[in-house]
Amino acid sequence: MADNAEKDKKDNSFMMKLATLIVDKRKGFYLIFIVLCIFCVLSMNRVKVNNDLTTYLPDTTETRRGLDLMDSEFTTYGSARILICNVTFDEAQKLADQVEEMDGVSMLDFDDTEDHYHDMEALLSVTFDEEADTEATQQHLDEVLDALSDYDVYYSSDIGQEERDADDLNNDMIVILLLAAVVIIAVLLFTSTTYAEIPVYLTTFIVAAILNKGTNYWFGTISFVTNSIAVVLQLGLAVDYAIILAHRFMEEHEDKDAREAVIVALSKAIPEISSSSLTTISGMVAMMFMQFRIGYDMGIILAKSIIFSMVAVFFLMPGLLLTFSKAIDNTHHKSFVPKITAVGKFCVATRYIIPPILIVGVIIAFFLSNKANYVYDTNTLESSTMSDNKFSVSMVNKEFGMVNQLAVIVPNGDYEKEAQTLKALEKLDVVKSCQGLGNIEAMDGYMLTDKLNPRQFAELIDLDIEVADMLYSAYALDQSDYGALVSGVSEYEVPFIDMFLFIYDQKESGNITLDDDLEETLTDAYSQICIAKDQLLGEDNSRFVLELNVPYEGEETTAALDQIRNTVAKFYNIDDILLVGNATSDKDLGDSFATDNTIITVLTALFVMIILLFTFQSAGLPVLLVVTIQGSIWMNFSLPYLLNENVYFLGYLVVSAIQMGATIDYAIVITSRYMDLKTYMPIKEAAIEALNQAFPTIVTSGSMLVSAGFIISYVSSNAAVAAIGLALGRGTLTSILLVLLALPQTLLIGDIIIQKTAFTLKRDLAKPLPSAGRIRMNGHIKGYVNGVLEGDFIGVIDGEMGAVVRPKDTVTMEERDDAPEENYPRLEAQELPEHEAAGQEEPAGENTVEAAGKDGEISDNSEDRNTEKTAESEGTEDEQ
C-alpha cells in the first residue's frame, strides 16, 4: 500500500507540473493554436470529397469489380433526361429536332410513346458526344437547358451531379451549423452558472472543429457523409470534456485563486476526460472494422475529432478560463436546470416493476428492429428538405419513372453468341429494354454485328462490287486471314461494324478514296457507330445495357438479378459474368450489412465492457450498462417498423456505434455517482441523489446531440445524411430516457449482482451513523456533515449527518431527541463517559475509544490521545 501511495503521489505531481506548465505558458499555446487554425483554414479546400458510395464497397464484391472493369475498358458518355412541361406533341417534336442539331449532342430519343410523351409533358433522352465528367459536356448541357429556358423544364443527369451534390451539402451545412450554434448557446445558457463560460466553450469548440476539418486532407479523400456530419457530431460528442473542466474549475475556485484553481482543475480533469473519451473512441474504432469501407472513413475522422477536442480542452481552454476568470466571477447566475427528485422517487417506487418491463421491452425491440425494412439505395429514401437539383430530379422521376439500369459484362469475341444472349434477355418480363452491339441496327435491318459478304455490304452502302471485293481482300490481309484470300473473298463474311470501321480508317489514312456521297454516308454513320462501340465493346469484354422494370432493391429485384444471370449463363461461363448497377450495389451492401452489423454490435459492446470493467472493477455492472444502451439502440430502430418507415442501413451502422460509444457516458455518469453515494447513504437515497447530480451533465450533452441529429435530419437535402441524422436524434433521445427512467431501477435491483461480481473484497462500509446526534469518533469516516468529509477523524461531531464507518473503527454517540428515525439504521448506542458528557477532558492515561487505522493497526498512542484532546477542547468551545 505504501508503494501505491507513492505512485499516486508521483502521478499527482506529474499532473500538477503538466497543468502548471499549460496554464503558465498559456500565451505560447494561444500562439500555437492561432498558427494551427490559420494553417487548417487554408487546408480545408485541399480535401477531396467523394460523393459516390460505391467506391467504398469491398474490392471483392461483384459491383466493385464490375465498376473497375468498366472504368478501364468502356466509355460512358454524358446523358440527360429532360422533362418539358405543358407542351403539345408537335411543339415537343420541334424542340427535340432543335436540340438534336446542337453542338455536343450525339443522340436524342423522342417519340409519341408513353415513355416519352403523355399529358402535355415530353421527355427528351439526350446523349452527348463526350464523357460525363468533362467541362465540355457540362457546357453543352447548359446550352441545351438555355435553349429550353422559355419552357417549364426539369432534368436529371449524371453530368456535374457530384458538383451539384457538393454545393447542396455545403449550403445545407451552413444552415445546420448556424442552427446548431443557436441550440448550443441556448443549452449552455440554460445549464451554465455564469454567462462568461459560454465564450470559453464556443472558442474551444470552434478551434477543435477547425483543427479536425483542416486536417482531413491527410486522408486524401473523405466521403460526403463524413464531411457533412463530422463537425456537428464532434460538438455533440465532445462537449462533455469542456463541461468537465469548467465544472472542476468552478469547484476549485470556491476556495482558491483563479490560477491555482485552473491548475488543480486541469490536473484532475485530464485523467477523467481521457477515461471518458475511451468509450466514445471505442465506438469509432469499431466502425473502422466494417467491410463497407465508409465505416473506416467515418470512424477515423470522428476519432480524430475526439482527439482534437481533447487537445483543445487540455491546452487551450485552461488559458481561456484564466483569461475570463474575472468575467466568470462577475457573471454568475442561477442554474436553470431543475432537480429531478420526483423522477428519482419514481425510479425507487418502480424498482421492482421497470426492470422486468425493460427486459421484455429489449427482447421485443430486438425482434422488431430486425423486422424493419432496411434499404440500401438513397433513391428509396426521402428527405424532409429538397434542393432545387433534388426537386428537378424528383419531377422527372415522378412523371416518367426512375431508370433502373443494369450492365451485364461478358467476354467478347463472339458476336453471334452476344446476339443470341440479347434475344434471350429481351424475352424476360423483368427486362424493359436491352441494348448491345448485337441488337443495334446499322442499315436496312442489318445489325452492327451481322456478318456480310462483299456483295451484301456493297448493296447496303451503295458501293461497287469490285471495290467491295478489294476492300474485303485488304481486310483479310490486315487480319492475316490468308485462307479467305486463297479461297476467294466472294463468300468471305465480316461483321458490319468491323468492316465499316476498317474502311473508315483506310479513308482517313489516305489509302483509299471514296466518292463524295459515300464519304458523307460514312462520316454521318461513323460517330454513331463509334459511340456504340466505345460504350459496348471493350478490349476483352462486351457490355449489355439493360433497363429493368423492377425497383432498385427488394426481393423482386434480387429474383430478377438471378433470372438475368441464369439466362446469360446459358451462353457464357457463369464465373465470367458480371452484373453491375444500382440493383447489384444494393444487393452487395445488403450482403455486407449482416456482417458489418455483427461487427459493430460485438466490437462496440466488447470495447465498452472492457473499459467499464476496469473503471468499476465489477464484472456484473458493465453488463447491466451495456444491455441498457444496446436495448435503447434496438428500441430506436424498432420505431421505424412500428411507423412503417424505411431504415437506411448506413444510418443503422453508424448510429449503433455512436449511440453505444457516446451515450454509454450518460449511464456511466449516473452509475459512478450512485456507486460513490451508496457508500454513505441508503441505496434508495443514493439513486435519487445520483440522478440529481448527473442530470445537468446529461441534459447538456444529450440535448446537444439530440438537437444535432434532428437538425441534420430536417435541414439536409441529402437523403443519406438526413437518414443518419434522424436515427442519431431518435437514438440519443431513447438512450437519455432509458438511463433516466430505467437505469436507476436496474442498479437498485442489480446491486447484489454488482456486489457479488466485484473484483475487490466487499468493503465493510455499510454501517451508517445516525442522521443526527452527538458523536465522538476516532477512525475512518466517510459521509457528509453540512458538506462532505472522508478521512481519518478524531474528534466530536454534533449536527446533521449521513456517514458510514468501517466496522473496525468505533464510535461513541449520544443521539439527540430530534434525530429522525426513518433515515438511517441505528448503530447500537453507547453512552459517553461522564467526563465527556459534562464537557470535561478525558482523564490522563484512560483510553476511551480505539479504532483501526488505515493499515488495520490499533491507534493507541500518546500522539493520538493528544490530538483527540485538542479536538474535544475545540468542540467544547464551539458549543459554548
Side-chain angles (χ1 to χ4, degrees), residues 45 49 51 162-177 213 224 227-228 715-718:
N45 292 329
V49 179
N51 291 284
E162 289 193 5
E163 289 76 9
R164 292 194 296 274
D165 287 341
D167 291 340
D168 290 343
L169 280 174
N170 289 335
N171 294 333
D172 292 345
M173 285 312 302
I174 293 174
V175 178
I176 289 171
L177 287 175
K213 193 171 180 63
F224 71 94
N227 189 57
S228 301
V715 172
S716 179
S717 59
N718 186 286

Side-chain angles (χ1 to χ4, degrees), residues 858-878:
I858 300 299
S859 300
D860 186 13
N861 53 55
S862 58
E863 183 178 350
D864 289 342
R865 285 195 293 271
N866 291 335
T867 306
E868 181 180 318
K869 291 177 181 178
T870 303
E872 289 184 357
S873 299
E874 292 174 354
T876 304
E877 290 175 3
D878 290 340

